[in-house]
Amino acid sequence: LFQLISGDDWDDLMDDCSVLVPECTPSVPEIAFFGDCGSFYAPAYFVSFKVMLTFVFLNLFLAVIVENFSFAYEIVVPLITFEDLEGYKKIWLKHDPNRVGVLPLSKLRLLLDEIGPPLCLDGGLVRRTFYLNVRYEL
């Protein structure tokens, strides 16, 4: 069947499967259970199988190409811009003037209060929960 899908001499395979009685050895139960005779319906099976799988694989191939093109030309809007990161860096340096790279937990709340969206959440209970989650994770 893979030979049919790939199109590699599938017509020779079809011809082999459609050999009938004068040119083949029928099955004889005393000698061999299976003969090498084919079927009259082999050409119809092979042609219909080839046509259907050609359409299926063509559609599959085109779907992959279209999906890759749509992914390649998709416009992605970043959530955090370069300016946001620069602002975060300035605020961090303000809270860490010695450039140690570590802040005590007592200064975390001040840092999160000073950072604006999108790096920080706004709102009463949500803000408190966010702060507690960040503090717990640290």
Side-chain angles (χ1 to χ4, degrees):
L1 296 179
F2 183 74
Q3 191 173 358
L4 247 70
I5 295 169
S6 65
D8 184 30
D9 290 334
W10 66 274
D11 54 338
D12 292 339
L13 186 61
M14 179 185 65
D15 290 339
D16 289 342
C17 288
S18 62
V19 174
L20 295 177
V21 173
E23 292 88 22
C24 69
T25 307
S27 63
V28 179
E30 296 85 27
I31 301 171
F33 290 110
F34 301 105
D36 61 352
C37 291
S39 173
F40 177 73
Y41 300 107
Y45 170 75
F46 278 85
V47 170
S48 63
F49 188 79
K50 177 68 177 165
V51 168
M52 283 191 289
L53 280 182
T54 300
F55 285 127
V56 167
F57 276 99
L58 179 65
N59 284 334
L60 183 67
F61 180 72
L62 289 177
V64 168
I65 289 176
V66 168
E67 179 69 25
N68 284 333
F69 270 116
S70 67
F71 180 72
Y73 291 110
E74 183 178 294
I75 297 173
V76 177
V77 179
L79 297 176
I80 298 174
T81 62
F82 182 72
E83 290 80 17
D84 294 331
L85 290 176
E86 287 296 318
Y88 174 74
K89 190 164 88 172
K90 287 178 186 175
I91 293 170
W92 182 273
L93 288 176
K94 184 174 142 184
H95 289 279
D96 185 20
N98 297 333
R99 297 184 181 193
V100 177
V102 178
L103 285 179
L105 281 177
S106 59
K107 289 191 175 185
L108 178 64
R109 178 68 181 222
L110 296 172
L111 178 75
L112 291 177
D113 283 341
E114 201 169 333
I115 295 174
L119 295 174
C120 185
L121 296 177
D122 293 329
L125 182 62
V126 173
R127 187 176 189 173
R128 173 105 173 119
T129 307
F130 174 71
Y131 169 70
L132 291 175
N133 283 337
V134 168
R135 189 168 173 169
Y136 175 74
E137 291 295 324
L138 294 175

